[in-house]
Amino acid sequence: MKRARIIGTGSYLPEKILTNADLETMVDTSDEWITARTGIQQRRIAAENEMTSDLAVFAAEKALQMAGISADQLDLIIVGTITGDFPWPSTACLVQDRLKATRAAAWDVSAACSGFVYALASASKFIESGSARYALVIGAEVLSRVIDWQDRNTCILFGDGAGAVVLEVQDGDFGILSTHLHADGGDWQLLYQPGFGSRHPASVAGIEQRLPFLKMAGNEVFKTAVRSLYDVAIEALETNGLTAADVHLLFPHQANRRILEAVRKRLELREEQMYVNVDFCGNTSGASIPLALDEANRKGLLRQGDILVFDAFGGGFTWGAALVRW
């Protein structure tokens, strides 16, 4: 059976670090309050001249180098992002041009924090069908551009970054074993960016109402996220005849420590079975899972045959999981 196997990983974090102490000078908050509620100690912020496509390219170049292939061998590029350089063209097209991936089709996936898993699922189906041999999947966000820095409940959570994987078609039992995607648009208003789309076009009044910035109902999102992350992880495991005991590492969307711990305990995983980097990266939305994966890979934490679970939840609502045999 043809499967998509990850043969290269890469990531990029901007140089600028924004600590909790820095935030204390910006809004009415404290390091103690932020750490207790989120586990986040710092996050990265893109420089003024850094765009989402820049972060994506830096991560992609590292993944391609590890994979040992050139960009002109790629058949497709999919970028999971909600903070693209432009509403259109897609950030993936900008990445395709920068990399000189002349053979690759390119498009973006807008699924918020589930963007990478949605993009990975799409790419894996192209590979399994024989329509592609090599694919580049990226999660990249510059959330600092859509954060309301006057809202202490949201500005403490988010950071910028990018992660990427290169997929190759292979025969056998290694690679992406299954993907599982879900959505429920009924609660879209609990986590969204009001402006500026066709519903609220660009206007001075919209800026004064702070419509370009992310809005979130934290308590409601928390409960739904925990339930959805648990349910889809179980779905992925049961589909493949596995249990939580078989998992080497769970890579959940790095939302905040409280959500991650709640999911881990419900799955009955040991602490060492879940990879966490939210403390130093913050919530990077669609970039969080590939960022964490690349960190773990470059630390030598992944061995051939390990069972990995990618587990994501985001605005929409969207949620999904991918089960991988490394």
Side-chain angles (χ1 to χ4, degrees), residues 1 42 61 63 110 132 146 156 182 203 216 244 285-286 293 297 309 315 322:
M1 178 178 178
Q42 64 182 45
E61 289 174 337
S110 177
V146 298
I156 64 173
H182 300 277
S203 67
M216 181 173 70
S285 187
L293 177 67
N297 191 22
V309 179

Side-chain angles (χ1 to χ4, degrees), residues 265-305:
K265 290 175 180 177
R266 287 194 66 181
L267 289 170
E268 299 182 349
L269 294 174
R270 302 183 307 278
E271 289 186 7
E272 59 269 25
Q273 286 179 279
M274 182 173 73
Y275 192 87
V276 177
N277 68 353
V278 70
D279 311 56
F280 304 105
C281 296
N283 180 343
T284 57
S285 187
S288 73
I289 290 175
L291 259 170
L293 177 67
D294 184 52
E295 280 188 16
N297 191 22
R298 291 177 188 272
K299 288 177 180 177
L301 300 180
L302 308 181
R303 303 179 304 272
Q304 182 172 311

Side-chain angles (χ1 to χ4, degrees), residues 70-77 93 95-106:
S70 59
D72 61 9
Q73 293 176 266
L74 293 170
D75 298 298
L76 61 101
I77 298 170
C93 280
V95 171
Q96 186 249 22
D97 176 61
R98 288 269 299 278
L99 293 176
K100 304 304 178 191
T102 53
R103 297 179 58 246

Side-chain angles (χ1 to χ4, degrees), residues 24-25 45 69 78 119-120 139 150 220 283 285:
E24 289 177 345
T25 69
I45 304 296
I69 69 166
I78 310 178
L120 188 73
Q150 297 178 17
E220 291 86 348
N283 180 343
S285 187

